[in-house]
Amino acid sequence: MFYLLSTGSWMGFSCLCKLLVSFCRGREIRRMKDSMRCGNSFAFLTKDINDLEHSNQVNLPPVSVVMPLKGFGEHNLHNWRSQITSLYGGPLEFLFVVESTADPAYHAVKRLLADFKDVDAKVIVAGLSTTCSQKIHNQLVGVEKMHKDTKYVLFLDDDVRLHPGSIGALTTEMEKNPEIFIQTGYPLDLPSGTLGSYCIYEYHMPCSMGFATGGKTFFLWGGCMMMHADDFRTDRHGVVSALRDGGYSDDMTLAAIAEEHKRLITSPPVAVFPHPLASDLTFPRYWNYLRKQTFVLESYTTKVNWIMNRALFTTHCYLSWGFVTPYVMAGIHVAAALRFYFKGYSPDDTVLKCNGLLLAGCLAICTLIELLSMWNLTRIEVHLCNMLSPEAPQLSLASYNWCLVFIAMLVDNFLYPLSAMRSHFSQSINWSGIRYHLKDGKIYKIDRHKHLVPKITDLAGKDLLGKNGSTPKVAIISSLSRTLAQWRQPKKYDV
């Protein structure tokens, strides 16, 4: 009974949060529809169509987009095109940063950029990291190479699919409120049909509640972070040194700095990005991804940060197994009831059986409400993404399998504590073929061996061991690329 009440309370709180998030995202949809009814056919780009006047566009601040890359997968070309064909009207440069020219991403980007010669974009070879994670190393090298006049730097993962107005929306918020330290967003997972992909969707969906407040938040997603470029030039609050000297997770490190110095993190309601998952995302690859997610709680920068991570570790483990336990008990009650039924007992023969079935029925109702709240939030976010990218193929809820979503809820919550405990006791992780060892919350040792390198990554299924020039031919995308290049061209820097 205690576990049922605990699960019911948690589901009730979760449904309430999802309702608030749905209201926030839905309010943005209504605003865009009202704007279009008033004659603003570019509502997906700006709230006020007058902002698109040339006199306003020429005053937009310069932005550098830094994209650390690793491997090449089935969705990368589409994602990269959505990034470099942004309709941001100010000076814009794109810095694709790879570890070495042997990375399959290097040749894929080179071929793609050959079709976008008018875009200010280049590929940078960062070399091997020695004091931090390879992703952070690539980010910092990108920052060092950005234009001297850049005002804002936007870090993007290569699995982020931007909307035409995403960069403009983030920049507008930064301009309106200079107190903002970091702006962030969050992905809308598009499951591919495998159980592993649904486990990823179920893991991300509850976390999205912290990114849809339409304003201040305590959460930060490393896949999309816009910051002041001068914060890196001056190492303000030690952002560069904290990342460079033993940093494992970029978002957790920067979130800890923001908390320590009482700096503002915001997430605008339009910062939700389609995130297609690999069509062959297997269950072992989901487990590897979960391991990396739980391992970030072992990294920290300060004592307060360590305490907060331990609190998150304990709370999440308790809630995860507290969520699963009632289903185990309900399964036992249902099995007992079936046994009584087939043995010919009447309902009056046992009160315990009836009480057990009553509790199982209450749990079923709670589960149905939780699934409905997830469906409603996903429906609204799909609608919002479709409105923000009217030129892209429209997303649909038809591909979601809600029976698999329920199974994923049980699997993910059961495995999370196991993954968290393994991360805690191992203090090491294999991330895309590089094994990082932590000590006192920071990386102190990095191992690179050929036997550590997997053939593909976890979520996007990116090839990590491709041979030079093995990427798909550009011919299959060239016509679409040229069309987009003519319609969505950012301005280059004046040098």
Side-chain angles (χ1 to χ4, degrees):
M1 184 67 178
F2 170 77
Y3 284 111
L4 177 61
L5 291 175
S6 176
T7 301
S9 299
W10 168 242
M11 284 187 179
F13 175 74
S14 175
C15 291
L16 178 61
C17 290
K18 290 187 179 72
L19 183 63
L20 294 174
V21 173
S22 300
F23 174 78
C24 180
R25 304 281 199 207
R27 182 176 56 192
E28 194 64 24
I29 293 174
R30 292 189 295 272
R31 181 200 63 76
M32 292 175 64
K33 289 182 176 179
D34 291 341
S35 183
M36 287 188 288
R37 279 193 291 266
C38 294
N40 181 10
S41 56
F42 295 97
F44 64 98
L45 291 179
T46 179
K47 298 177 182 179
D48 186 356
I49 197 171
N50 293 322
D51 291 339
L52 299 179
E53 293 287 343
H54 177 72
S55 58
N56 293 321
Q57 294 286 298
V58 295
N59 294 321
L60 291 174
V63 176
S64 294
V65 183
V66 177
M67 290 164 282
L69 307 182
K70 181 75 172 181
F72 177 73
E74 60 183 302
H75 301 296
N76 281 133
L77 285 175
H78 193 161
N79 296 339
W80 295 339
R81 289 199 303 272
S82 75
Q83 294 167 358
I84 64 177
T85 54
S86 169
L87 285 181
Y88 181 67
L92 189 60
E93 70 169 345
F94 298 90
L95 305 173
F96 295 87
V97 190
V98 296
E99 174 185 304
S100 70
T101 57
D103 193 314
Y106 176 82
H107 300 279
V109 173
K110 281 285 189 180
R111 291 189 175 189
L112 177 65
L113 295 184
D115 262 11
F116 292 89
K117 295 179 180 178
D118 292 332
V119 176
D120 188 358
K122 54 187 174 182
V123 185
I124 298 172
V125 178
L128 301 180
S129 65
T130 56
T131 61
C132 59
S133 68
Q134 187 65 46
K135 178 185 177 182
I136 289 177
H137 176 69
N138 288 8
Q139 289 173 325
L140 294 179
V141 171
V143 166
E144 292 175 358
K145 302 294 184 180
M146 67 184 176
H147 196 276
K148 61 182 178 61
D149 294 329
T150 290
K151 186 174 183 181
Y152 302 115
V153 56
L154 174 61
F155 298 105
L156 291 177
D157 282 355
D158 59 1
D159 54 1
V160 172
R161 185 169 295 178
L162 287 185
H163 306 293
S166 293
I167 297 178
L170 293 169
T171 306
T172 298
E173 294 298 320
M174 297 289 281
E175 288 288 281
K176 287 196 310 186
N177 186 1
E179 295 301 316
I180 294 176
F181 181 50
I182 308 174
Q183 272 209 107
T184 188
Y186 207 67
L188 168 63
D189 288 325
L190 306 176
S192 59
T194 65
L195 178 59
S197 67
Y198 278 99
C199 286
I200 297 295
Y201 163 78
E202 193 283 326
Y203 176 82
H204 281 159
M205 181 53 68
C207 298
S208 71
M209 295 183 291
F211 294 85
T213 58
K216 181 179 179 180
T217 181
F218 298 100
F219 300 91
L220 185 59
W221 177 52
C224 174
M225 302 184 299
M226 177 173 276
M227 302 180 64
H228 295 270
D230 282 342
D231 287 348
F232 287 89
R233 294 189 181 106
T234 62
D235 195 17
R236 189 177 186 186
H237 306 313
V239 292
V240 174
S241 54
L243 290 169
R244 181 191 58 217
D245 301 333
Y248 168 76
S249 170
D250 52 342
D251 48 12
M252 292 290 283
T253 301
L254 292 173
I257 292 174
E259 173 64 24
E260 181 182 3
H261 297 277
K262 309 302 179 186
R263 297 302 306 276
L264 180 62
I265 301 176
T266 65
S267 180
V270 295
V272 54
F273 310 107
H275 181 216
L277 299 172
S279 57
D280 59 346
L281 201 162
T282 61
F283 195 78
R285 281 159 59 187
Y286 152 71
W287 170 252
N288 290 336
Y289 174 77
L290 185 63
R291 283 274 291 114
K292 291 201 290 282
Q293 295 302 298
T294 57
F295 191 73
V296 299
L297 295 179
E298 301 303 316
S299 63
Y300 55 89
T301 57
T302 64
K303 186 67 174 180
V304 173
N305 189 208
W306 178 84
I307 294 174
M308 292 183 64
N309 285 0
R310 295 276 66 78
L312 284 172
F313 175 96
T314 305
T315 302
H316 203 153
C317 289
Y318 170 78
L319 291 176
S320 291
W321 274 355
F323 177 87
V324 173
T325 301
Y327 290 97
V328 176
M329 298 173 64
I332 295 173
H333 284 302
V334 171
L338 291 173
R339 182 172 179 272
F340 278 120
Y341 174 78
F342 286 116
K343 282 186 173 292
Y345 291 100
S346 66
D348 295 334
D349 291 338
T350 173
V351 177
L352 181 60
K353 179 198 70 172
C354 295
N355 290 340
L357 289 179
L358 178 62
L359 294 177
C362 292
L363 181 61
I365 294 173
C366 292
T367 302
L368 180 60
I369 294 174
E370 172 69 10
L371 288 173
L372 283 173
S373 68
M374 292 182 69
W375 169 83
N376 182 59
L377 177 55
T378 305
R379 175 184 64 86
I380 290 176
E381 292 193 339
V382 164
H383 190 187
L384 179 58
C385 286
N386 286 336
M387 293 189 69
L388 291 171
S389 292
E391 87 295 348
Q394 298 293 279
L395 307 179
S396 172
L397 273 178
S399 62
Y400 285 77
N401 185 325
W402 297 98
C403 290
L404 277 179
V405 171
F406 169 67
I407 296 174
M409 289 168 58
L410 297 179
V411 172
D412 187 61
N413 281 285
F414 175 75
L415 291 179
Y416 184 92
L418 299 179
S419 176
M421 286 186 282
R422 180 175 177 181
S423 297
H424 177 69
F425 289 109
S426 68
Q427 291 294 298
S428 68
I429 191 73
N430 181 355
W431 186 359
S432 298
I434 307 173
R435 180 162 293 279
Y436 300 102
H437 301 266
L438 296 185
K439 184 177 182 180
D440 297 327
K442 294 185 178 294
I443 292 175
Y444 80 99
K445 182 181 178 183
I446 300 176
D447 291 331
R448 287 184 173 88
H449 302 289
K450 290 185 177 180
H451 71 275
L452 293 176
V453 183
K455 183 177 180 181
I456 52 179
T457 57
D458 302 324
L459 296 192
K462 295 181 293 184
D463 180 16
L464 297 179
L465 299 173
K467 296 180 181 179
N468 292 350
S470 64
T471 57
K473 293 183 180 180
V474 180
I476 64 176
I477 63 161
S478 58
S479 59
L480 176 61
S481 299
R482 292 189 181 95
T483 301
L484 288 174
Q486 294 173 0
W487 182 56
R488 300 161 64 175
Q489 283 201 11
K491 292 192 300 186
K492 298 176 69 173
Y493 280 99
D494 295 326
V495 293

